[in-house]
Amino acid sequence: MLKRVYLEITNCCNLSCAFCHQTERKPRSLTAEEFDILTEKIRGKTDLLFFHLMGEPLLHPELPVFIQSAAGKGFRPALTTNGTLLADRGKELLDTPLNRVSLSLHAPEANPSFSDPGYLHAALSFGKEADRRGIWVAYRLWNRGGLERNNPAILDELHRAYPGEWEKTRNGARIAEKTYLELADRFEWPDMKAPEQSGEIFCYALRDQIGILSDGSVVPCCLDAEGIMAIGNLFDSPLDEILRSERARRIYEGFTAHRAEEELCGRCGYASMKRHRARGK
């Protein structure tokens, strides 16, 4: 059983972040019928279902319906959002059985054209109410070594919203019952033009996770923005058959031996770092 599946309900986004790989794929969003088909095919294969790979999930008009449907099938629905649409759509999300939400507070800073003074207030108000309703919340500042000039002001607002002593964690702090602050370096997407990584490579792709693009393509992990490593299409084949494919087995066995069988994996700094976690370093 997989620990999580990333289901891309739309590859469209309302921002164009400097840190984001973005995608050259044709804009596409899942229909309600397609969502039902795909979730039925992964039913029982994972319990944690993220409505994200590329794109901004809050752009999808059927998002609350999707969350209700997924929860009814036994999934724990989760999403990652830039938070810019929470002022308009936050209330309807709070009325769904959403399990967890990650808010990328570093996203607006990476968009020179974004200038909504009410953004942070709306994001924090949503987060506080989500925590009160039992939803796990993660505020992300994944921008160390990059665009982080606004971090002090953001942290000041967080401290005002969540007063008192914060409980330190390995990557940030626990700031409320179910709310965390996550601090990390600026995220670099793997890219075929990126330099090759040296040394051993390891990833939990196909072990703990898979991604499903909005056209049904199954990819080994949530970082394959263009579907370069597609191992099958869930609209055409059962998941078990896709995971038994020659390409999937080769990728899996390569990571077991700490090597990259796919060129994209060999150009992924995140997979390079994963080798330390795999060996407990």
Side-chain angles (χ1 to χ4, degrees), residues 204-221:
Y204 291 105
L206 300 177
R207 279 176 166 77
D208 290 358
Q209 63 163 288
I210 58 168
I212 305 168
L213 303 183
S214 54
D215 67 354
S217 296
V218 178
V219 292
C221 78

Side-chain angles (χ1 to χ4, degrees):
M1 186 166 175
L2 297 164
K3 289 186 177 180
R4 62 187 64 197
V5 170
Y6 295 86
L7 175 57
E8 181 186 77
I9 63 173
T10 181
N11 61 10
C12 303
C13 190
N14 60 328
L15 295 183
S16 182
C17 296
F19 59 81
C20 182
H21 184 281
Q22 301 181 37
T23 180
E24 296 179 357
R25 289 180 285 127
K26 182 180 179 180
R28 194 181 193 285
S29 298
L30 290 180
T31 66
E33 181 182 7
E34 289 173 335
F35 180 84
D36 184 60
I37 291 171
L38 294 177
T39 50
E40 278 297 324
K41 287 198 168 187
I42 60 173
R43 194 172 188 171
K45 307 298 184 182
T46 186
D47 64 342
L48 188 56
L49 181 62
F50 280 84
F51 295 167
H52 176 74
L53 199 142
M54 297 300 292
E56 168 52 54
L58 270 70
L59 282 175
H60 203 299
E62 298 292 331
L63 177 59
V65 176
F66 287 176
I67 294 173
Q68 291 282 0
S69 173
K73 294 182 180 185
F75 296 105
R76 289 184 292 149
L79 59 88
T80 298
T81 173
N82 58 41
T84 57
L85 302 177
L86 287 174
D88 296 326
R89 305 205 64 189
K91 185 178 184 305
E92 60 181 327
L93 280 184
L94 292 169
D95 291 333
T96 69
L98 184 64
N99 178 263
R100 63 185 65 191
V101 58
S102 296
L103 305 177
S104 298
L105 299 183
H106 52 276
E109 189 172 7
N111 291 265
S113 63
F114 183 80
S115 58
D116 183 353
Y119 163 77
L120 192 57
H121 173 75
L124 299 187
S125 295
F126 172 85
K128 293 189 71 174
E129 179 61 19
D131 183 283
R132 190 185 73 79
R133 297 194 187 198
I135 300 170
W136 294 95
V137 179
Y139 294 115
R140 290 179 173 178
L141 285 174
W142 289 8
N143 58 2
R144 290 185 304 206
L147 294 169
E148 52 187 321
R149 58 181 175 273
N150 288 340
N151 282 11
I154 293 173
L155 290 171
D156 284 345
E157 286 297 321
L158 279 166
H159 276 289
R160 278 191 284 270
Y162 298 90
E165 186 175 354
W166 292 355
E167 177 186 341
K168 289 185 178 180
T169 63
R170 185 181 65 173
N171 298 317
R174 181 182 182 185
I175 62 178
E177 180 66 23
K178 288 194 169 186
T179 302
Y180 291 80
L181 169 65
E182 296 181 355
L183 304 173
D185 294 337
R186 172 176 169 163
F187 186 75
E188 296 290 346
W189 284 79
D191 190 277
M192 295 297 282
K193 297 178 182 179
E196 289 190 44
Q197 297 292 321
S198 60
E200 297 178 339
I201 296 288
F202 181 82
C203 183
Y204 291 105
L206 300 177
R207 279 176 166 77
D208 290 358
Q209 63 163 288
I210 58 168
I212 305 168
L213 303 183
S214 54
D215 67 354
S217 296
V218 178
V219 292
C221 78
C222 62
L223 302 184
D224 189 355
E226 300 297 340
I228 292 173
M229 298 187 295
I231 55 177
N233 192 291
L234 203 55
F235 285 128
D236 303 327
S237 306
L239 182 59
D240 288 343
E241 179 181 312
I242 293 172
L243 295 178
R244 289 195 302 267
S245 69
E246 180 181 349
R247 191 176 194 182
R249 292 200 309 271
R250 181 167 49 80
I251 293 170
Y252 185 100
E253 291 168 2
F255 287 139
T256 301
H258 296 270
R259 67 174 184 269
E261 289 293 322
E262 295 282 340
E263 184 178 355
L264 186 65
C265 299
R267 298 178 185 275
C268 177
Y270 195 63
S272 180
M273 290 187 294
K274 281 282 189 180
R275 69 182 184 267
H276 300 297
R277 298 183 187 180
R279 292 195 169 184
K281 296 181 181 178

